[in-house]
Amino acid sequence: MITNSIVVWIISLSLFATGLLAIIQVGVRYQGLQHQTESMAIEIARQAVNQDESSKSELCKSAQPNPPVRVRACEILTDSVYLSAVEPVSLLGYTYILQAESRVGYGFYSQIDSR
């Protein structure tokens, strides 16, 4: 015979598991966004090494992430590339904004061949 306390425990456990899985999903999506931001910054840094100042400003505009995310900021500085991207994510009925930032220097990444 199932008592009321067992039913409450089962419902509580299922709500806890649902919340935990949603938080893990957001963490995985954030890691994917962070990796995507770093990859885009590396590609822009590789392309910016051999460009003059006028064409460097076009590199940020031409960068197209895959899958598409909103690029909030892209700056090509004298020694590095700064990139910030945002992506909306839904967690338990609420919409949150994930933001990932990456700053990549020219030194190491300019030496690697783009494949």
Side-chain angles (χ1 to χ4, degrees):
M1 182 159 120
I2 298 178
T3 63
N4 288 340
S5 63
I6 293 175
V7 171
V8 169
W9 273 99
I10 291 172
I11 291 172
S12 299
L13 184 60
S14 65
L15 289 174
F16 175 75
T18 302
L20 185 62
L21 290 175
I23 291 172
I24 290 171
Q25 179 186 11
V26 169
V28 168
R29 294 216 21 212
Y30 174 74
Q31 285 180 339
L33 180 64
Q34 183 67 35
H35 176 71
Q36 184 179 9
T37 304
E38 288 176 2
S39 297
M40 284 176 33
I42 290 170
E43 287 302 316
I44 292 172
R46 286 179 181 163
Q47 295 172 4
V49 169
N50 299 323
Q51 302 290 328
D52 58 351
E53 291 299 320
S54 62
S55 61
K56 282 185 179 181
S57 62
E58 297 297 321
L59 287 176
C60 286
K61 294 176 186 174
S62 66
Q64 295 296 321
N66 189 12
V69 294
R70 185 171 157 233
V71 176
R72 178 174 275 179
C74 181
E75 297 177 25
I76 300 177
L77 307 171
T78 58
D79 61 343
S80 63
V81 172
Y82 171 77
L83 189 68
S84 173
V86 295
E87 177 182 9
V89 64
S90 179
L91 175 65
L92 301 175
Y94 295 100
T95 302
Y96 297 97
I97 302 294
L98 295 179
Q99 179 175 351
E101 298 177 347
S102 181
R103 184 176 300 272
V104 176
Y106 291 129
F108 177 73
Y109 298 107
S110 64
Q111 306 287 329
I112 301 173
D113 292 330
S114 179
R115 298 189 203 285

